[in-house]
Amino acid sequence: MVNCEVCGKATEEIYRAEIEGTQMDACAKCARFGKVLYTPAKISLSSKESLKGKKAEKEEPEQKIVDNYAKIVRKIREKLGLTQEEFAKKINEKESLMKGIESGKTIPSFDLAGKLEKMFNVVLIETVEEEKADTGSSGSKDFTLGDMITIKSRKK
Ligand SMILES: [Zn+2]
C-alpha cells in the first residue's frame, strides 16, 4: 500500500504522474489530472518478481532420453544385422546393458545415447520444454541443475 501524494489516500495502484510540473506518486484518480509517466504495471515490473522471471527464461533447457529409445536402439542393431552380443561389442558396451535398453528396462545414459547418436545418426536425446508454473522455488531449481552437473561429471 502506498499513499497518493496528491490526495493522501492509500492505494495499491500508484501512478507516477507529472501534475502541474511536479512528479508525484498519485492514485489513478489524481493521476488523471496530470501527465502519467509510469503506469502501475511498469512500476511492478521493476520489482524482484520480474528479475526472477527473467532468470527462469534463461535457464538451460533440460534434456532427457527419448521415450522410444528401445525401438531406436533395436532398429540400429537390426539394420546392422548384428546380434545383441555383437552390437554390444561393436559399441564397446556390455551385452546385458544393451539387452536392458532394447527391452526398455534400462534407460541409456546420456553418454551412451550421445555416442549412439553420433555413430548412427539417430536422435536419442530430446530437449524438454518445461513450463515453469512455480516461480518461487528457485532453491529446488538450483538443486536440479547441480544434480545434472553431478551426473555429467560422474560419467567422465
Ligand atoms: Zn489521489
Side-chain angles (χ1 to χ4, degrees):
M1 281 288 207
V2 200
N3 288 315
C4 170
E5 283 180 15
V6 183
C7 67
K9 236 174 96 180
T11 175
E12 276 180 28
E13 284 191 337
I14 199 83
Y15 292 75
R16 189 78 183 159
E18 196 179 297
I19 300 162
E20 289 170 10
T22 315
Q23 283 192 23
M24 295 179 131
D25 290 325
C27 68
K29 272 185 189 174
C30 298
R32 258 189 261 150
F33 296 117
K35 195 175 124 196
V36 177
L37 303 173
Y38 300 107
T39 64
K42 275 179 184 168
I43 290 167
S44 71
L45 267 178
S46 65
S47 74
K48 277 182 185 176
E49 284 305 311
S50 73
L51 287 175
K52 263 188 204 168
K54 273 176 191 170
K55 266 185 192 169
E57 278 170 30
K58 273 186 185 175
E59 236 172 68
E60 268 184 57
E62 206 177 305
Q63 292 191 313
K64 72 171 196 116
I65 302 296
V66 294
D67 292 332
N68 61 339
Y69 66 86
K71 236 186 186 177
I72 293 169
V73 171
R74 179 173 292 149
K75 265 193 183 171
I76 295 168
R77 183 176 61 77
E78 284 173 351
K79 251 191 186 176
L80 296 168
L82 300 173
T83 64
Q84 285 181 330
E85 189 190 353
E86 288 166 338
F87 182 58
K89 267 185 193 166
K90 183 182 170 66
I91 61 169
N92 261 322
E93 298 291 342
K94 279 182 188 166
E95 186 192 346
S96 58
L97 173 67
M98 297 318 292
K99 273 186 180 168
I101 289 170
E102 277 196 33
S103 65
K105 281 175 193 159
T106 310
I107 298 170
S109 66
F110 282 105
D111 268 5
L112 175 55
K115 185 163 85 175
L116 292 172
E117 280 189 336
K118 274 185 199 161
M119 283 176 88
F120 304 107
N121 196 30
V122 292
V123 177
L124 285 165
I125 301 168
E126 66 181 0
T127 302
V128 183
E129 303 262 348
E130 203 183 356
E131 275 187 35
K132 303 249 152 70
D134 186 9
T135 49
S137 63
S138 61
S140 68
K141 267 183 226 157
D142 286 344
F143 175 76
T144 311
L145 199 66
D147 205 39
M148 274 174 67
I149 291 161
T150 315
I151 291 164
K152 272 181 190 164
S153 60
R154 224 187 278 146
K155 276 167 195 153
K156 271 183 184 172

